[in-house]
Amino acid sequence: MLRARYRYVFVKPFPGDVRLDKLEIWKAVQSSLQYLVGALGYADVNPYLVRVQKDLDGLVMRCNSKHIRTFVAAIALVNNVGGERVALDIKKVSGTLKALLRKLKC
Amino acid sequence: MGSRTFVDFWIRPPDVTIAKEMCKRASELGYSALVVEAPKSMLDELKGIAKEYGLELYSKAVISAKTRSDVLKMVTKLRHSYDAIAVHCLTRDAALVALRDGRVDTVVFRANGFMTIDKHMLSVTRNSIELTLIDAISDRVALQKMRGIVRLIDAKGLSVIFSSCASNPVEQRGPFETSCIINAFGLNFERSLDAISTVPLNILLRNRAKLSGEIVQEGVWLVKG
């Protein structure tokens, strides 16, 4: 069986001064993706919340590498998290978690 | 991605302070040019601010038209004063005229206006069709309609432009995110990138050349030196 390939995405809310529950952000992304591509598409994208990166004030998410554009679109379509108007900016996309964090920190 | 010049073809800041924030955000997101719908006095003030952030600023007039004569009158009046002219159609009649008129640059289909396109309209289309990110973000019904429009445009091979229509920085998205949204609507990724780079940029450069007198007539450029 082929090994699944992923893309790791670092997402940061804008504006930065708004305090948001990170899990609320994840729920908003899930909901947006579900609306954009439906249940079957959602399963293809296979999104997963990897970690909440507190030092960089963002979230690391993962999806199937073939469907990265759909996942990015779903993230970009989020405009409201917990009643706050926000935009979710994609700061970096990488093939491994290690490389993503290295790119973010340098 | 890297060598392209990205253009946000429509922002409409309510005042100079917000416009400054929007310029800053656009520059951070990777845009090289902004097209602003604002009064002339504000545009003059904004030109300096945009330059600080390394952005080229263009002016845009958006005509909301209900009838055929609305389109014709307003286009005649505004064509020589703005870098880009867009017609926001409220009826099918207005859309049919705007799609054919050579003086119009883009025809905007928005959720708060007329947002249906049929095969007859596509067959007479000469101008680019503009869709806005703000409708995709804020209105889920509009999102589905846009998907249908993009599919028809793609099938006919017409040119499409995607602009943010943002009135504050939170409504702005980066070029990669925007092109991914268009890609999710069914347009291939190259054409999605063109919708926010090559297509709007060509319109702006051509219009600026016309306004400055470099284009004497359609296809005839004035050679200097």
Side-chain angles (χ1 to χ4, degrees):
Chain A
M1 203 175 128
L2 282 174
R3 188 173 61 88
R5 283 174 171 273
Y6 300 111
R7 282 286 178 274
Y8 292 84
V9 181
F10 182 76
V11 176
K12 196 172 178 177
F14 174 87
D17 54 348
V18 180
R19 293 281 114 207
L20 293 167
D21 181 4
K22 298 288 187 285
L23 289 177
E24 288 262 10
I25 297 176
W26 174 238
K27 277 182 191 163
V29 172
Q30 282 179 308
S31 154
S32 169
L33 183 63
Q34 182 103 32
Y35 189 80
L36 188 68
V37 289
L40 280 174
Y42 184 93
D44 287 337
V45 176
N46 193 14
Y48 182 75
L49 176 63
V50 178
R51 63 163 78 169
V52 175
Q53 199 74 28
K54 282 187 178 159
D55 55 338
L56 297 166
D57 198 27
L59 289 98
V60 180
M61 299 174 188
R62 187 185 81 183
C63 71
N64 188 315
S65 70
K66 280 183 188 166
H67 299 278
I68 177 66
R69 286 172 191 160
T70 311
F71 190 51
V72 169
I75 293 169
L77 286 173
V78 172
N79 73 333
N80 195 316
V81 178
E84 291 278 353
R85 289 192 72 202
V86 289
L88 299 180
D89 289 347
I90 287 142
K91 293 288 174 191
K92 220 75 184 172
V93 179
S94 184
T96 63
L97 183 60
K98 190 178 169 184
L100 180 80
L101 296 175
R102 191 184 63 228
K103 283 174 192 172
L104 283 168
K105 281 171 184 167
C106 70
Chain B
M1 268 292 284
S3 60
R4 283 178 187 262
T5 302
F6 292 107
V7 182
D8 192 344
F9 202 68
W10 188 8
I11 63 162
R12 33 176 205 155
D15 56 57
V16 179
T17 324
I18 293 177
K20 195 173 179 180
E21 285 173 32
M22 290 177 84
C23 286
K24 187 182 173 203
R25 181 151 162 83
S27 154
E28 284 168 0
L29 289 170
Y31 286 100
S32 307
L34 282 180
V35 183
V36 185
E37 182 202 355
K40 281 275 177 194
S41 54
M42 194 166 140
L43 281 170
D44 295 335
E45 209 170 330
L46 281 179
K47 269 184 187 151
I49 296 168
K51 212 156 241 176
E52 271 177 44
Y53 293 106
L55 296 164
E56 186 70 38
L57 205 77
Y58 295 90
S59 60
K60 177 175 187 171
V62 180
I63 301 163
S64 287
K66 255 188 184 170
T67 60
R68 175 189 155 84
S69 61
D70 282 351
V71 178
L72 298 173
K73 267 185 211 163
M74 292 306 286
V75 170
T76 311
K77 193 176 163 191
L78 300 171
R79 178 67 276 184
H80 300 291
S81 318
Y82 290 89
D83 292 316
I85 297 280
V87 178
H88 172 215
C89 301
L90 304 174
T91 59
R92 188 172 182 271
D93 272 355
L96 275 170
V97 176
L99 285 167
R100 275 182 296 202
D101 198 315
R103 296 166 299 173
V104 175
D105 295 313
T106 62
V107 182
V108 190
F109 286 91
R110 290 206 60 198
N112 59 1
F114 181 74
M115 207 182 182
T116 320
I117 199 159
D118 53 48
K119 286 187 179 167
H120 172 62
M121 286 165 79
L122 285 177
S123 66
V124 298
T125 300
R126 191 181 146 179
N127 301 319
S128 300
I129 290 166
E130 185 175 349
L131 298 170
T132 60
L133 186 67
I134 190 73
D135 286 335
I137 289 171
S138 56
D139 189 343
R140 291 196 158 182
V141 179
L143 183 85
Q144 297 302 344
K145 283 186 179 174
M146 282 163 95
R147 194 175 272 188
I149 292 175
V150 168
R151 283 202 184 129
L152 276 173
I153 290 170
D154 191 30
K156 277 277 177 185
L158 298 170
S159 63
V160 62
I161 291 176
F162 215 75
S163 59
S164 74
C165 189
S167 51
N168 62 61
V170 177
E171 290 168 354
Q172 289 176 290
R173 298 288 186 278
F176 178 58
E177 286 97 319
T178 309
S179 53
C180 283
I181 292 173
I182 316 167
N183 186 231
F185 289 163
L187 205 66
N188 77 48
F189 195 62
E190 270 307 303
R191 283 197 68 196
S192 308
L193 288 172
D194 288 344
I196 50 169
S197 59
T198 331
V199 179
L201 196 67
N202 285 345
I203 291 174
L204 294 170
L205 293 177
R206 191 189 61 217
N207 286 348
R208 195 155 267 190
K210 274 183 192 171
L211 289 175
S212 65
E214 281 177 61
I215 294 183
V216 184
Q217 208 181 335
E218 197 65 46
V220 183
W221 285 70
L222 200 68
V223 182
K224 286 175 188 168

Short mmCIF file of all heavy atoms in Angstrom, two decimals, chain A residues 14-15 28 31-33 35-37 68-70 72-79 85-91 93, chain B residues 25 28-29 133-134 136-138 140-141 143-144 147 168-173 176-178 180-181 183-185 189:
data_model
loop_
_atom_site.label_atom_id
_atom_site.label_comp_id
_atom_site.label_asym_id
_atom_site.label_seq_id
_atom_site.Cartn_x
_atom_site.Cartn_y
_atom_site.Cartn_z
N PHE A 14 -5.59 36.85 11.42
CA PHE A 14 -5.35 38.29 11.25
C PHE A 14 -6.64 39.01 11.64
O PHE A 14 -7.71 38.59 11.21
CB PHE A 14 -4.99 38.60 9.80
CG PHE A 14 -4.87 40.09 9.53
CD1 PHE A 14 -3.68 40.74 9.75
CD2 PHE A 14 -5.97 40.82 9.11
CE1 PHE A 14 -3.58 42.11 9.52
CE2 PHE A 14 -5.87 42.18 8.89
CZ PHE A 14 -4.67 42.82 9.09
N PRO A 15 -6.67 40.05 12.38
CA PRO A 15 -5.54 40.74 13.00
C PRO A 15 -4.97 39.96 14.19
O PRO A 15 -5.70 39.21 14.84
CB PRO A 15 -6.17 42.06 13.46
CG PRO A 15 -7.62 41.82 13.54
CD PRO A 15 -7.95 40.75 12.57
N ALA A 28 -13.98 26.19 12.55
CA ALA A 28 -14.39 27.06 11.44
C ALA A 28 -13.80 26.55 10.11
O ALA A 28 -14.49 26.55 9.08
CB ALA A 28 -13.94 28.49 11.70
N SER A 31 -15.69 23.40 9.07
CA SER A 31 -17.02 23.75 8.56
C SER A 31 -16.94 24.33 7.14
O SER A 31 -17.73 23.99 6.26
CB SER A 31 -17.68 24.72 9.53
OG SER A 31 -18.61 25.50 8.90
N SER A 32 -15.95 25.19 6.94
CA SER A 32 -15.75 25.81 5.63
C SER A 32 -15.43 24.75 4.56
O SER A 32 -15.97 24.78 3.45
CB SER A 32 -14.64 26.84 5.73
OG SER A 32 -14.25 27.28 4.48
N LEU A 33 -14.56 23.83 4.94
CA LEU A 33 -14.17 22.77 4.01
C LEU A 33 -15.36 21.87 3.67
O LEU A 33 -15.57 21.51 2.51
CB LEU A 33 -13.02 21.95 4.61
CG LEU A 33 -12.45 20.85 3.74
CD1 LEU A 33 -11.83 21.41 2.48
CD2 LEU A 33 -11.40 20.06 4.50
N TYR A 35 -18.43 22.69 3.69
CA TYR A 35 -19.35 23.40 2.81
C TYR A 35 -18.81 23.47 1.37
O TYR A 35 -19.55 23.36 0.41
CB TYR A 35 -19.64 24.82 3.32
CG TYR A 35 -20.76 25.45 2.54
CD1 TYR A 35 -22.08 25.14 2.80
CD2 TYR A 35 -20.48 26.29 1.46
CE1 TYR A 35 -23.11 25.66 2.05
CE2 TYR A 35 -21.51 26.82 0.70
CZ TYR A 35 -22.81 26.49 0.99
OH TYR A 35 -23.82 27.00 0.23
N LEU A 36 -17.51 23.66 1.27
CA LEU A 36 -16.89 23.83 -0.05
C LEU A 36 -16.90 22.55 -0.88
O LEU A 36 -17.21 22.58 -2.07
CB LEU A 36 -15.47 24.36 0.10
CG LEU A 36 -14.73 24.79 -1.15
CD1 LEU A 36 -15.35 26.04 -1.75
CD2 LEU A 36 -13.27 25.06 -0.85
N VAL A 37 -16.56 21.44 -0.26
CA VAL A 37 -16.39 20.21 -1.05
C VAL A 37 -17.31 19.05 -0.64
O VAL A 37 -17.27 17.99 -1.24
CB VAL A 37 -14.91 19.73 -1.02
CG1 VAL A 37 -14.05 20.64 -1.82
CG2 VAL A 37 -14.40 19.55 0.38
N ILE A 68 -4.12 20.06 -1.47
CA ILE A 68 -3.68 21.22 -0.70
C ILE A 68 -4.40 22.51 -1.13
O ILE A 68 -4.77 23.34 -0.31
CB ILE A 68 -2.12 21.38 -0.76
CG1 ILE A 68 -1.65 22.64 -0.01
CG2 ILE A 68 -1.59 21.39 -2.15
CD1 ILE A 68 -1.87 22.63 1.45
N ARG A 69 -4.66 22.64 -2.43
CA ARG A 69 -5.31 23.87 -2.93
C ARG A 69 -6.74 23.98 -2.41
O ARG A 69 -7.19 25.06 -2.07
CB ARG A 69 -5.28 23.92 -4.44
CG ARG A 69 -3.89 24.24 -4.95
CD ARG A 69 -3.80 24.10 -6.45
NE ARG A 69 -2.44 24.17 -6.89
CZ ARG A 69 -2.01 23.71 -8.05
NH1 ARG A 69 -2.84 23.14 -8.90
NH2 ARG A 69 -0.74 23.81 -8.39
N THR A 70 -7.42 22.87 -2.36
CA THR A 70 -8.79 22.88 -1.82
C THR A 70 -8.75 23.26 -0.34
O THR A 70 -9.59 24.04 0.13
CB THR A 70 -9.42 21.48 -1.97
OG1 THR A 70 -9.21 21.04 -3.30
CG2 THR A 70 -10.89 21.49 -1.66
N VAL A 72 -6.45 25.02 1.20
CA VAL A 72 -6.09 26.45 1.31
C VAL A 72 -7.32 27.31 1.01
O VAL A 72 -7.58 28.31 1.70
CB VAL A 72 -4.91 26.79 0.36
CG1 VAL A 72 -4.71 28.30 0.25
CG2 VAL A 72 -3.63 26.14 0.84
N ALA A 73 -8.08 26.91 -0.01
CA ALA A 73 -9.30 27.67 -0.35
C ALA A 73 -10.26 27.68 0.82
O ALA A 73 -10.84 28.73 1.16
CB ALA A 73 -9.96 27.05 -1.58
N ALA A 74 -10.43 26.52 1.46
CA ALA A 74 -11.35 26.44 2.60
C ALA A 74 -10.87 27.33 3.75
O ALA A 74 -11.69 28.01 4.40
CB ALA A 74 -11.47 25.00 3.06
N ILE A 75 -9.58 27.36 3.97
CA ILE A 75 -9.03 28.22 5.04
C ILE A 75 -9.27 29.69 4.69
O ILE A 75 -9.68 30.49 5.54
CB ILE A 75 -7.53 27.93 5.24
CG1 ILE A 75 -7.33 26.53 5.81
CG2 ILE A 75 -6.90 28.96 6.18
CD1 ILE A 75 -5.89 26.04 5.81
N ALA A 76 -9.05 30.03 3.42
CA ALA A 76 -9.21 31.43 3.00
C ALA A 76 -10.66 31.88 3.07
O ALA A 76 -10.92 33.08 3.22
CB ALA A 76 -8.67 31.61 1.59
N LEU A 77 -11.59 30.96 2.96
CA LEU A 77 -13.01 31.33 2.98
C LEU A 77 -13.55 31.58 4.39
O LEU A 77 -14.66 32.05 4.55
CB LEU A 77 -13.85 30.26 2.28
CG LEU A 77 -13.74 30.22 0.75
CD1 LEU A 77 -14.48 29.02 0.20
CD2 LEU A 77 -14.28 31.49 0.12
N VAL A 78 -12.74 31.29 5.39
CA VAL A 78 -13.18 31.55 6.78
C VAL A 78 -13.13 33.05 7.04
O VAL A 78 -12.12 33.70 6.75
CB VAL A 78 -12.27 30.81 7.79
CG1 VAL A 78 -12.61 31.21 9.21
CG2 VAL A 78 -12.40 29.31 7.61
N ASN A 79 -14.22 33.61 7.52
CA ASN A 79 -14.20 35.05 7.84
C ASN A 79 -14.74 35.37 9.22
O ASN A 79 -14.77 36.52 9.62
CB ASN A 79 -14.96 35.85 6.77
CG ASN A 79 -16.45 35.67 6.87
OD1 ASN A 79 -16.92 34.65 7.36
ND2 ASN A 79 -17.20 36.64 6.42
N ARG A 85 -14.67 38.89 13.51
CA ARG A 85 -14.33 38.92 12.08
C ARG A 85 -12.82 38.80 11.94
O ARG A 85 -12.08 39.68 12.40
CB ARG A 85 -14.82 40.23 11.46
CG ARG A 85 -16.33 40.27 11.34
CD ARG A 85 -16.75 41.41 10.49
NE ARG A 85 -16.42 41.15 9.10
CZ ARG A 85 -16.28 42.11 8.20
NH1 ARG A 85 -16.40 43.36 8.53
NH2 ARG A 85 -16.02 41.81 6.94
N VAL A 86 -12.39 37.72 11.36
CA VAL A 86 -10.94 37.50 11.17
C VAL A 86 -10.67 36.94 9.78
O VAL A 86 -11.57 36.46 9.10
CB VAL A 86 -10.35 36.50 12.21
CG1 VAL A 86 -10.29 37.08 13.58
CG2 VAL A 86 -11.10 35.19 12.19
N ALA A 87 -9.40 37.02 9.41
CA ALA A 87 -8.93 36.34 8.20
C ALA A 87 -7.88 35.34 8.66
O ALA A 87 -7.14 35.63 9.59
CB ALA A 87 -8.33 37.34 7.24
N LEU A 88 -7.84 34.19 8.03
CA LEU A 88 -6.80 33.22 8.37
C LEU A 88 -5.74 33.26 7.28
O LEU A 88 -6.01 32.91 6.13
CB LEU A 88 -7.39 31.82 8.53
CG LEU A 88 -8.44 31.66 9.63
CD1 LEU A 88 -8.95 30.22 9.66
CD2 LEU A 88 -7.91 32.04 10.99
N ASP A 89 -4.57 33.70 7.66
CA ASP A 89 -3.47 33.82 6.68
C ASP A 89 -2.64 32.55 6.66
O ASP A 89 -2.29 32.02 7.71
CB ASP A 89 -2.57 34.99 7.04
CG ASP A 89 -3.25 36.33 6.80
OD1 ASP A 89 -4.30 36.33 6.14
OD2 ASP A 89 -2.73 37.35 7.28
N ILE A 90 -2.33 32.10 5.46
CA ILE A 90 -1.45 30.94 5.33
C ILE A 90 -0.02 31.45 5.22
O ILE A 90 0.34 32.12 4.27
CB ILE A 90 -1.86 30.08 4.13
CG1 ILE A 90 -3.15 29.37 4.52
CG2 ILE A 90 -0.83 29.02 3.78
CD1 ILE A 90 -4.13 29.24 3.49
N LYS A 91 0.74 31.16 6.25
CA LYS A 91 2.10 31.72 6.30
C LYS A 91 3.11 30.82 5.60
O LYS A 91 4.06 31.30 5.03
CB LYS A 91 2.51 31.93 7.77
CG LYS A 91 1.73 32.99 8.48
CD LYS A 91 2.11 34.38 7.98
CE LYS A 91 1.24 35.43 8.59
NZ LYS A 91 1.41 36.74 7.95
N VAL A 93 3.66 26.62 3.76
CA VAL A 93 3.21 25.26 3.44
C VAL A 93 4.46 24.42 3.23
O VAL A 93 5.39 24.86 2.56
CB VAL A 93 2.35 25.24 2.15
CG1 VAL A 93 1.91 23.83 1.82
CG2 VAL A 93 1.13 26.14 2.29
N ARG B 25 -1.25 45.88 4.29
CA ARG B 25 -1.60 44.45 4.24
C ARG B 25 -1.41 43.88 2.82
O ARG B 25 -0.89 42.78 2.66
CB ARG B 25 -3.03 44.24 4.72
CG ARG B 25 -3.44 42.78 4.72
CD ARG B 25 -4.47 42.48 5.76
NE ARG B 25 -5.17 41.22 5.49
CZ ARG B 25 -4.73 40.02 5.81
NH1 ARG B 25 -3.57 39.89 6.42
NH2 ARG B 25 -5.41 38.95 5.53
N GLU B 28 2.18 43.22 2.34
CA GLU B 28 2.61 42.03 3.09
C GLU B 28 2.13 40.74 2.43
O GLU B 28 2.82 39.72 2.46
CB GLU B 28 2.04 42.09 4.52
CG GLU B 28 2.77 43.06 5.42
CD GLU B 28 2.03 43.31 6.73
OE1 GLU B 28 0.95 42.74 6.96
OE2 GLU B 28 2.53 44.13 7.52
N LEU B 29 0.95 40.81 1.83
CA LEU B 29 0.38 39.60 1.21
C LEU B 29 1.05 39.27 -0.13
O LEU B 29 0.91 38.16 -0.62
CB LEU B 29 -1.13 39.77 1.01
CG LEU B 29 -1.99 39.74 2.27
CD1 LEU B 29 -3.42 40.14 1.95
CD2 LEU B 29 -1.98 38.38 2.93
N LEU B 133 -14.23 38.42 -4.20
CA LEU B 133 -13.91 37.52 -3.09
C LEU B 133 -14.87 37.73 -1.93
O LEU B 133 -15.25 36.78 -1.25
CB LEU B 133 -12.47 37.80 -2.65
CG LEU B 133 -11.87 36.90 -1.61
CD1 LEU B 133 -11.69 35.50 -2.16
CD2 LEU B 133 -10.53 37.45 -1.16
N ILE B 134 -15.28 38.98 -1.74
CA ILE B 134 -16.14 39.29 -0.59
C ILE B 134 -17.46 38.53 -0.68
O ILE B 134 -17.99 38.09 0.34
CB ILE B 134 -16.34 40.83 -0.47
CG1 ILE B 134 -17.03 41.19 0.86
CG2 ILE B 134 -17.13 41.43 -1.61
CD1 ILE B 134 -16.16 41.06 2.04
N ALA B 136 -17.83 35.59 -2.16
CA ALA B 136 -17.51 34.18 -1.89
C ALA B 136 -17.35 33.94 -0.40
O ALA B 136 -17.75 32.90 0.12
CB ALA B 136 -16.23 33.80 -2.62
N ILE B 137 -16.79 34.93 0.29
CA ILE B 137 -16.53 34.76 1.72
C ILE B 137 -17.82 34.91 2.54
O ILE B 137 -18.08 34.14 3.45
CB ILE B 137 -15.49 35.80 2.19
CG1 ILE B 137 -14.11 35.45 1.63
CG2 ILE B 137 -15.42 35.87 3.70
CD1 ILE B 137 -13.09 36.53 1.86
N SER B 138 -18.61 35.91 2.19
CA SER B 138 -19.71 36.26 3.10
C SER B 138 -21.06 35.66 2.72
O SER B 138 -21.96 35.65 3.55
CB SER B 138 -19.82 37.78 3.20
OG SER B 138 -19.98 38.32 1.91
N ARG B 140 -22.94 32.36 1.18
CA ARG B 140 -22.78 30.97 0.73
C ARG B 140 -23.59 30.66 -0.53
O ARG B 140 -23.21 29.80 -1.31
CB ARG B 140 -23.13 30.01 1.86
CG ARG B 140 -22.10 30.08 2.97
CD ARG B 140 -22.17 28.91 3.89
NE ARG B 140 -20.88 28.77 4.57
CZ ARG B 140 -20.61 27.82 5.42
NH1 ARG B 140 -21.50 26.92 5.71
NH2 ARG B 140 -19.41 27.75 5.99
N VAL B 141 -24.70 31.36 -0.70
CA VAL B 141 -25.50 31.15 -1.92
C VAL B 141 -24.71 31.69 -3.12
O VAL B 141 -24.64 31.06 -4.18
CB VAL B 141 -26.88 31.84 -1.80
CG1 VAL B 141 -27.69 31.65 -3.07
CG2 VAL B 141 -27.64 31.29 -0.60
N LEU B 143 -21.59 31.92 -3.36
CA LEU B 143 -20.46 31.01 -3.62
C LEU B 143 -20.85 29.92 -4.63
O LEU B 143 -20.11 29.63 -5.57
CB LEU B 143 -20.03 30.37 -2.29
CG LEU B 143 -18.82 29.45 -2.33
CD1 LEU B 143 -17.55 30.25 -2.21
CD2 LEU B 143 -18.87 28.44 -1.21
N GLN B 144 -22.04 29.38 -4.44
CA GLN B 144 -22.51 28.34 -5.37
C GLN B 144 -22.78 28.92 -6.76
O GLN B 144 -22.49 28.30 -7.77
CB GLN B 144 -23.78 27.67 -4.83
CG GLN B 144 -23.58 26.94 -3.51
CD GLN B 144 -22.52 25.85 -3.57
OE1 GLN B 144 -22.10 25.41 -4.62
NE2 GLN B 144 -22.05 25.44 -2.40
N ARG B 147 -19.58 29.48 -8.58
CA ARG B 147 -19.05 28.21 -9.08
C ARG B 147 -19.65 27.92 -10.47
O ARG B 147 -18.94 27.52 -11.38
CB ARG B 147 -19.41 27.12 -8.08
CG ARG B 147 -18.69 25.84 -8.29
CD ARG B 147 -19.01 24.88 -7.21
NE ARG B 147 -18.12 25.04 -6.07
CZ ARG B 147 -18.09 24.20 -5.05
NH1 ARG B 147 -18.92 23.19 -4.99
NH2 ARG B 147 -17.24 24.37 -4.06
N ASN B 168 -12.03 46.70 4.20
CA ASN B 168 -11.13 46.75 5.36
C ASN B 168 -10.10 45.62 5.24
O ASN B 168 -10.32 44.67 4.48
CB ASN B 168 -11.91 46.71 6.68
CG ASN B 168 -12.69 45.43 6.83
OD1 ASN B 168 -12.11 44.35 6.86
ND2 ASN B 168 -14.00 45.54 6.89
N PRO B 169 -9.00 45.69 6.01
CA PRO B 169 -7.92 44.71 5.82
C PRO B 169 -8.32 43.26 6.08
O PRO B 169 -7.72 42.35 5.51
CB PRO B 169 -6.86 45.16 6.83
CG PRO B 169 -7.17 46.56 7.14
CD PRO B 169 -8.63 46.74 6.96
N VAL B 170 -9.32 43.04 6.93
CA VAL B 170 -9.74 41.66 7.25
C VAL B 170 -10.32 40.96 6.03
O VAL B 170 -10.27 39.73 5.92
CB VAL B 170 -10.75 41.69 8.43
CG1 VAL B 170 -11.26 40.29 8.75
CG2 VAL B 170 -10.12 42.29 9.66
N GLU B 171 -10.84 41.73 5.11
CA GLU B 171 -11.45 41.13 3.91
C GLU B 171 -10.44 40.83 2.81
O GLU B 171 -10.80 40.29 1.77
CB GLU B 171 -12.54 42.07 3.38
CG GLU B 171 -13.76 42.12 4.31
CD GLU B 171 -14.71 43.23 3.99
OE1 GLU B 171 -14.41 44.07 3.10
OE2 GLU B 171 -15.77 43.30 4.65
N GLN B 172 -9.19 41.20 3.01
CA GLN B 172 -8.17 40.94 1.99
C GLN B 172 -7.57 39.55 2.19
O GLN B 172 -7.38 39.10 3.32
CB GLN B 172 -7.06 41.99 2.08
CG GLN B 172 -7.49 43.36 1.61
CD GLN B 172 -6.40 44.39 1.80
OE1 GLN B 172 -6.08 44.77 2.93
NE2 GLN B 172 -5.81 44.83 0.71
N ARG B 173 -7.26 38.90 1.07
CA ARG B 173 -6.61 37.60 1.11
C ARG B 173 -5.40 37.63 0.17
O ARG B 173 -5.35 38.42 -0.77
CB ARG B 173 -7.55 36.49 0.64
CG ARG B 173 -8.80 36.29 1.49
CD ARG B 173 -8.48 35.66 2.84
NE ARG B 173 -9.66 35.34 3.61
CZ ARG B 173 -10.36 36.20 4.35
NH1 ARG B 173 -9.99 37.46 4.43
NH2 ARG B 173 -11.42 35.81 5.03
N PHE B 176 -2.08 33.63 -3.37
CA PHE B 176 -2.13 32.16 -3.42
C PHE B 176 -3.49 31.66 -2.93
O PHE B 176 -4.11 30.80 -3.57
CB PHE B 176 -1.00 31.57 -2.57
CG PHE B 176 -1.00 30.06 -2.52
CD1 PHE B 176 -0.93 29.30 -3.68
CD2 PHE B 176 -1.10 29.40 -1.31
CE1 PHE B 176 -0.94 27.91 -3.63
CE2 PHE B 176 -1.12 28.01 -1.25
CZ PHE B 176 -1.04 27.27 -2.42
N GLU B 177 -3.97 32.24 -1.83
CA GLU B 177 -5.27 31.85 -1.28
C GLU B 177 -6.39 32.14 -2.29
O GLU B 177 -7.26 31.31 -2.54
CB GLU B 177 -5.57 32.61 0.02
CG GLU B 177 -4.78 32.15 1.22
CD GLU B 177 -3.55 32.99 1.46
OE1 GLU B 177 -2.87 33.35 0.46
OE2 GLU B 177 -3.25 33.31 2.62
N THR B 178 -6.31 33.34 -2.90
CA THR B 178 -7.34 33.73 -3.86
C THR B 178 -7.36 32.77 -5.06
O THR B 178 -8.43 32.33 -5.48
CB THR B 178 -7.09 35.17 -4.34
OG1 THR B 178 -6.92 35.99 -3.19
CG2 THR B 178 -8.25 35.71 -5.15
N CYS B 180 -6.37 29.77 -5.13
CA CYS B 180 -6.86 28.46 -4.70
C CYS B 180 -8.39 28.45 -4.65
O CYS B 180 -9.01 27.44 -4.96
CB CYS B 180 -6.30 28.10 -3.32
SG CYS B 180 -4.61 27.54 -3.39
N ILE B 181 -8.98 29.57 -4.26
CA ILE B 181 -10.46 29.65 -4.22
C ILE B 181 -11.01 29.51 -5.64
O ILE B 181 -11.94 28.74 -5.88
CB ILE B 181 -10.92 30.98 -3.57
CG1 ILE B 181 -10.57 30.98 -2.09
CG2 ILE B 181 -12.43 31.16 -3.74
CD1 ILE B 181 -10.84 32.29 -1.38
N ASN B 183 -9.55 28.15 -8.13
CA ASN B 183 -9.26 26.77 -8.53
C ASN B 183 -10.32 25.81 -7.97
O ASN B 183 -10.75 24.89 -8.66
CB ASN B 183 -7.85 26.41 -8.03
CG ASN B 183 -7.39 25.06 -8.51
OD1 ASN B 183 -6.96 24.23 -7.73
ND2 ASN B 183 -7.49 24.82 -9.79
N ALA B 184 -10.75 26.08 -6.74
CA ALA B 184 -11.79 25.22 -6.14
C ALA B 184 -13.13 25.37 -6.85
O ALA B 184 -13.97 24.48 -6.77
CB ALA B 184 -11.94 25.58 -4.66
N PHE B 185 -13.31 26.49 -7.54
CA PHE B 185 -14.55 26.69 -8.32
C PHE B 185 -14.52 25.91 -9.64
O PHE B 185 -15.51 25.85 -10.34
CB PHE B 185 -14.76 28.18 -8.65
CG PHE B 185 -15.13 29.02 -7.47
CD1 PHE B 185 -15.00 30.40 -7.52
CD2 PHE B 185 -15.63 28.46 -6.31
CE1 PHE B 185 -15.35 31.19 -6.44
CE2 PHE B 185 -15.98 29.25 -5.22
CZ PHE B 185 -15.83 30.62 -5.29
N PHE B 189 -5.44 25.87 -12.40
CA PHE B 189 -4.65 26.74 -11.52
C PHE B 189 -3.94 27.86 -12.27
O PHE B 189 -3.85 28.98 -11.78
CB PHE B 189 -3.66 25.90 -10.71
CG PHE B 189 -3.09 26.66 -9.54
CD1 PHE B 189 -3.89 27.11 -8.52
CD2 PHE B 189 -1.73 26.92 -9.48
CE1 PHE B 189 -3.38 27.83 -7.44
CE2 PHE B 189 -1.20 27.63 -8.40
CZ PHE B 189 -2.03 28.07 -7.39
#
